[in-house]
Amino acid sequence: MKGIVFTEYLAFAEQLVGEDVVEDVIEDCDLPSGGAYTSVGTYDHSEIVTLTKAFSQHTGTEPEELVRMFGSYLGEVFQKKFGRFFDDAPTFFDFLANVHTHIHVEVQKLYPDAELPSIEMLERSEFDAQLRYRSPRKMDSLALGLIQATAISFGENLNVTRSYGHDAAGDFVDFRLRLSG
């Protein structure tokens, strides 16, 4: 997982629990990286899992919810840092349809070693869409937070349901998206 995710995760955690607690958690977790991340480095996603479990104990918030909250936070960061991707899409569903075929292609050019999830638009109408998410890291709650933050940036009210499945290509999560008034 790219270091920008880790550096932003720690910034998110500092907002959540404060710098002192973040430092204590990093020390207590005994991470392979030592908790020292650079935005261009690559780190094992298991470190975010370990940190999330520790922050969950400090906040009383379930790990999956913390990851979703981080996804929302990260979505806002990405909008500020990479606004042109958002500006190029006329609608929320247009943006989502282009994540894997356009945005991830650009990310891959910058970071050839990045292992990006697959996000495929399976169905789409004016108010409904179905996205299929695949990743060996199984960070669908992060994807959910990113989707929710993006909907907000496009001024959309969004209802999301998730379903889990498996096919010949492996495990996947389907996000059923419905725009409402």
Side-chain angles (χ1 to χ4, degrees):
M1 188 175 273
K2 292 313 295 175
I4 188 172
V5 176
F6 285 87
T7 58
E8 292 301 337
Y9 186 80
L10 294 182
F12 162 76
E14 284 182 12
Q15 285 185 4
L16 197 63
V17 297
E19 186 177 340
D20 291 341
V21 172
V22 169
E23 289 177 15
D24 291 344
V25 165
I26 289 171
E27 190 174 305
D28 292 346
C29 285
D30 192 31
L31 302 164
S33 70
Y37 306 110
T38 65
S39 62
V40 295
T42 301
Y43 307 93
D44 192 302
H45 87 282
S46 65
E47 291 195 28
I48 279 191
V49 173
T50 300
L51 288 166
T52 299
K53 288 177 183 175
F55 290 127
S56 174
Q57 292 175 347
H58 280 276
T59 63
T61 305
E62 289 296 319
E64 287 295 309
E65 177 59 10
L66 281 176
V67 173
R68 188 207 59 78
M69 291 166 55
F70 171 58
S72 291
Y73 170 90
L74 190 59
E76 293 175 14
V77 169
F78 284 170
Q79 290 165 37
K80 290 175 186 162
K81 288 188 177 196
F82 310 108
R84 71 179 176 93
F85 291 118
F86 295 83
D87 296 340
D88 288 347
T91 70
F92 170 61
F93 286 160
D94 289 329
F95 176 85
L96 293 177
N98 288 323
V99 167
H100 197 66
T101 58
H102 181 66
I103 296 171
H104 282 177
V105 169
E106 295 299 315
V107 171
Q108 207 73 62
K109 288 177 187 174
L110 292 171
Y111 306 106
D113 62 334
E115 297 175 6
L116 301 169
S118 167
I119 299 173
E120 178 185 7
M121 180 79 70
L122 298 178
E123 298 175 15
R124 178 180 173 182
S125 68
E126 185 178 357
F127 298 105
D128 296 284
Q130 183 178 351
L131 281 181
R132 179 157 291 168
Y133 165 90
R134 292 181 192 270
S135 173
R137 292 176 295 281
K138 301 184 185 322
M139 300 286 284
D140 55 287
S141 290
L142 179 69
L144 175 59
L146 287 164
I147 291 166
Q148 291 171 325
T150 303
I152 291 168
S153 77
F154 278 92
E156 299 290 359
N157 293 320
L158 178 67
N159 295 313
V160 182
T161 56
R162 282 187 276 191
S163 60
Y164 299 86
H166 183 87
D167 60 15
D171 293 334
F172 62 84
V173 178
D174 282 347
F175 291 98
R176 180 61 80 178
L177 312 173
R178 176 175 284 263
L179 303 179
S180 61

